[in-house]
Amino acid sequence: MSRRFTAAAVATATTAALALTVPAGSVAAAPAGTTRYTVVAEDGVSAESAVAAIRAAGGTVVSRTDDVGVFEVTSDRTDFAKRATAAGELIGASEQRAIGYAPKLKRDAVERENLTQRARAAGKGGATGGQHGPKADPLDDKLWGQRMIRADRAHAAEPGDRGVTVGVLDTGLDASNPDLAPHFSRSLSRNFAPDKTDVDGPCEVASCLDPVGTDDGGHGTHVAGIIGAAANGVGLTGVAPDVTLVELKGGQDSGYFFVNPVVNALVYAGKAGLDVVNMSFYVDPWLFNCANNPADSPEAQAEQRAIIKAMNRALNFAYAHGVTLVAAMGNENDDLGSPRNDVTSPDYGGTPYERPIDNKTCLNLPTEGPHVIAVSSLGPSGKKSDFSNYGTEQTEVAAPGGWFRDGFGTPSFRTNANMILSSYPKKVLQEEGTVDADGNVVPGNEDLVYKDCPAQGECGYYTYLQGTSMASPHAAGVAALIVSKFGRRDHRTGGLTLAPDLVENQLYRTAAEHACPTPRLQQYRDEGRDETFDAYCAGGTNFNGFYGYGIVDAYAAVTTPLHPGARP
């Protein structure tokens, strides 16, 4: 899809994010009788001019991110949106609308497919064999993904550096896990997404702003473990076990990711000097943001143009400030260069309806945003996971994301071991019913959930998920190892830094090339999938729509000399 858009417009209806100019914990509900809006300034308009226009239209700015021209506004005027749209400095205002239907928790059904499909007990020859290097932690023999990308071998050459910071832009991070606690930076971590009671349930704290180091969704904790679980004799080892993990909570507990928290998190990442940010999500409520889709109302078109503008500004800002950006391709089993109709949007704020998707004017964000390394998902066999999005216009690299249905005709078929094991919050596992009130794994879940306890302190909990959300952090971890190996001292932070284009180039150059399957049309009938899952792999061995430049290779990435001028 085209990545160039020039239109600026009103941002999507979202909860008020913790803006960079607002002290932590100060987010408050709008006064009774007022409505909250998100406003995006026109290109070239100064922040102060935009604020003046907002005030003239009858609005009060409650938070602002001047670097990208995004403002959270309240107003008691029923005509505020109309007045803001008429202002030359603004495109308009988007009201935080009441939802027209009862939302479900936005859990990705793909990631927990094993809970809805009958899993078999893993037999010999499953996905757990083949340890390359010494087993550092008790569960490392289950990490087939680490071995696929040779992370276990890479650790002898480069385990990561504490001066390298990786932002986990997700639902949170459970810092009580003994694998995450040692290298978690509480001082750098931020929460940009206060709870929304309509989708997240009652707030756990009075401010509705969960403290950093917690994760009521679980997704972010799983991603964090893949990237940087410590090699400390407990649980399992991450791709980059010695880097510093930073929580950037931009997602709701329920799994929604709205534009304002995400934008604020990206701008903060740039200002704080983070080295890598992982983004395993798409920005709600639109699966594809289209500039002028005729199936959408004028208000919906404006909303999507604003998401495009705000996200592009934020991604460009982070990249310009030294952040390497890595994102999941998505789990819709779709060719993003020739997408099917979207029948799932909007998933918040209205009832979904069918929309044709024009490849030239519609974007899946952040995956198709500027400077983003998009990652497709593989199963233990190396085949593209049936759910993974793909396409020559978007896929930069591939990485292990799990595939529950991999291994047809072998004992590993439909086993949890085909998925990705990583850290997970005890609280969420208890809510899901796999861990009891005493913290013990409920009988019958022993091959799904693992508990490992150090001699002193909190026990760690681990479970299997699958998805491009799990593939992306494998690539982000390799990116962090590249910065650790080749980075220079950062005068801003005292840590290490490496230009994102150099990180990207090294990631691509050292990826293990993988040809398209034969035949090129990959079908999944044996795995129980119909023709809607058929996927055609275009391209050659050195680059194609399933694998991009290849499967990320941590060992090659840290043992191959850095050549700034070389291209893959």
Side-chain angles (χ1 to χ4, degrees):
M1 295 186 182
S2 171
R3 297 186 180 187
R4 298 188 61 191
F5 284 82
T6 57
V10 188
T12 186
T14 67
T15 186
L18 178 62
L20 302 181
T21 53
V22 179
S26 66
V27 175
T34 65
T35 302
R36 193 177 295 270
Y37 301 85
T38 302
V39 179
V40 174
E42 276 280 17
D43 285 338
V45 173
S46 70
E48 293 311 317
S49 295
V51 170
I54 290 168
R55 289 172 178 165
T60 300
V61 175
V62 295
S63 69
R64 49 193 278 187
T65 310
D66 295 359
D67 300 281
V68 292
V70 177
F71 305 86
E72 285 293 312
V73 177
T74 59
S75 179
D76 58 5
R77 294 189 64 109
T78 58
D79 62 347
F80 172 76
K82 182 178 180 179
R83 290 165 61 90
T85 302
E89 298 85 355
L90 311 173
I91 299 301
S94 181
E95 179 183 345
Q96 295 178 26
R97 301 160 300 194
I99 36 186
Y101 65 100
K104 306 296 182 184
L105 287 180
K106 191 174 175 282
R107 306 291 191 196
D108 192 323
V110 166
E111 294 178 357
R112 306 308 295 270
E113 180 189 3
N114 57 333
L115 301 185
T116 59
Q117 302 288 328
R118 187 169 61 185
R120 303 192 309 175
K124 293 182 179 179
T128 58
Q131 187 78 19
H132 289 163
K135 179 181 173 183
D137 288 344
L139 300 176
D140 282 358
D141 61 340
K142 306 180 188 305
L143 305 183
W144 60 267
Q146 300 270 8
R147 295 185 289 280
M148 176 180 284
I149 67 170
R150 301 201 293 174
D152 52 340
R153 294 182 62 178
H155 295 160
E158 180 57 70
D161 189 285
R162 291 298 304 276
V164 174
T165 48
V166 182
V168 182
L169 209 176
D170 217 292
T171 60
L173 191 156
D174 178 12
S176 70
N177 186 293
D179 260 329
L180 304 182
H183 299 160
F184 172 69
S185 174
R186 192 171 298 276
S187 62
L188 285 175
S189 295
R190 298 289 187 275
N191 181 353
F192 299 95
D195 288 344
K196 290 176 62 65
T197 56
D198 56 350
V199 291
D200 298 325
C203 296
E204 290 87 354
V205 295
S207 67
C208 291
L209 196 70
D210 295 338
V212 296
T214 63
D215 182 8
D216 293 329
H219 192 271
T221 299
H222 200 273
V223 166
I226 296 169
I227 295 170
N232 57 357
V234 179
L236 45 76
T237 306
V239 175
D242 285 351
V243 300
T244 295
L245 296 171
V246 179
E247 175 191 347
L248 302 175
K249 188 179 190 303
Q252 306 303 132
D253 297 345
S254 50
Y256 289 92
F257 288 79
F258 296 115
V259 67
N260 209 48
V262 172
V263 163
N264 284 344
L266 287 169
V267 172
Y268 170 79
K271 289 187 171 184
L274 302 192
D275 295 296
V276 180
V277 169
N278 184 81
M279 300 173 287
S280 290
F281 58 86
Y282 71 84
V283 176
D284 296 290
W286 305 96
L287 178 60
F288 290 92
N289 291 278
C290 302
N292 51 8
N293 194 326
D296 298 329
S297 68
E299 294 78 15
Q301 291 178 6
E303 183 174 79
Q304 291 166 73
R305 288 195 298 268
I307 294 175
I308 293 167
K309 176 58 66 175
M311 284 297 297
N312 283 355
R313 286 175 178 172
L315 292 166
N316 281 325
F317 183 93
Y319 181 84
H321 286 75
V323 182
T324 297
L325 302 162
V326 186
M329 284 281 290
N331 299 337
E332 290 76 39
N333 52 282
D334 202 2
D335 180 351
L336 292 184
S338 181
R340 297 187 298 268
N341 287 0
D342 174 19
V343 297
T344 64
S345 304
D347 63 7
Y348 179 87
T351 302
Y353 55 92
E354 185 168 0
R355 308 186 300 147
I357 300 301
D358 173 42
N359 185 43
K360 295 181 179 179
T361 59
C362 299
L363 292 173
N364 179 295
L365 292 168
T367 301
E368 295 185 290
H371 311 299
V372 175
I373 299 168
V375 188
S376 64
S377 172
L378 308 176
S381 67
K383 291 175 64 176
K384 184 187 80 69
S385 309
D386 57 4
F387 53 77
S388 179
N389 288 346
Y390 58 98
T392 54
E393 293 183 29
Q394 289 75 27
T395 309
E396 268 82 43
V397 289
W403 182 23
F404 176 66
R405 300 180 186 226
D406 204 355
F408 177 77
T410 74
S412 67
F413 180 57
R414 288 180 179 265
T415 58
N416 294 323
N418 285 335
M419 301 169 73
I420 302 297
L421 185 66
S422 187
S423 45
Y424 213 66
K426 177 176 71 172
K427 174 185 177 182
V428 179
L429 291 169
Q430 289 174 324
E431 292 169 352
E432 293 175 351
T434 54
V435 170
D436 65 23
D438 295 325
N440 298 314
V441 177
V442 174
N445 293 283
E446 292 86 357
D447 65 345
L448 172 64
V449 176
Y450 295 88
K451 174 184 178 181
D452 193 37
C453 303
Q456 295 180 336
E458 295 277 346
C459 293
Y461 292 83
Y462 309 84
T463 194
Y464 287 101
L465 298 179
Q466 67 174 11
T468 58
S469 284
M470 286 66 246
S472 179
H474 280 90
V478 177
L481 290 179
I482 292 170
V483 180
S484 298
K485 182 68 175 180
F486 302 106
R488 57 177 174 77
R489 191 60 53 190
D490 188 344
H491 68 276
R492 300 175 301 165
T493 66
L496 297 178
T497 186
L498 187 64
D501 63 322
L502 298 182
V503 179
E504 181 179 7
N505 184 45
Q506 184 74 351
L507 189 70
Y508 297 167
R509 288 179 57 244
T510 60
E513 292 182 353
H514 197 295
C516 286
T518 303
R520 287 178 177 267
L521 182 64
Q522 182 72 62
Q523 297 181 326
Y524 301 94
R525 301 296 188 276
D526 289 339
E527 291 82 8
R529 298 302 198 185
D530 63 21
E531 66 279 359
T532 62
F533 283 81
D534 291 356
Y536 182 82
C537 183
T541 300
N542 62 337
F543 183 85
N544 58 68
F546 280 14
Y547 299 92
Y549 289 105
I551 304 171
V552 295
D553 187 331
Y555 181 73
V558 299
T559 57
T560 302
L562 188 71
H563 291 294
R567 298 298 297 174

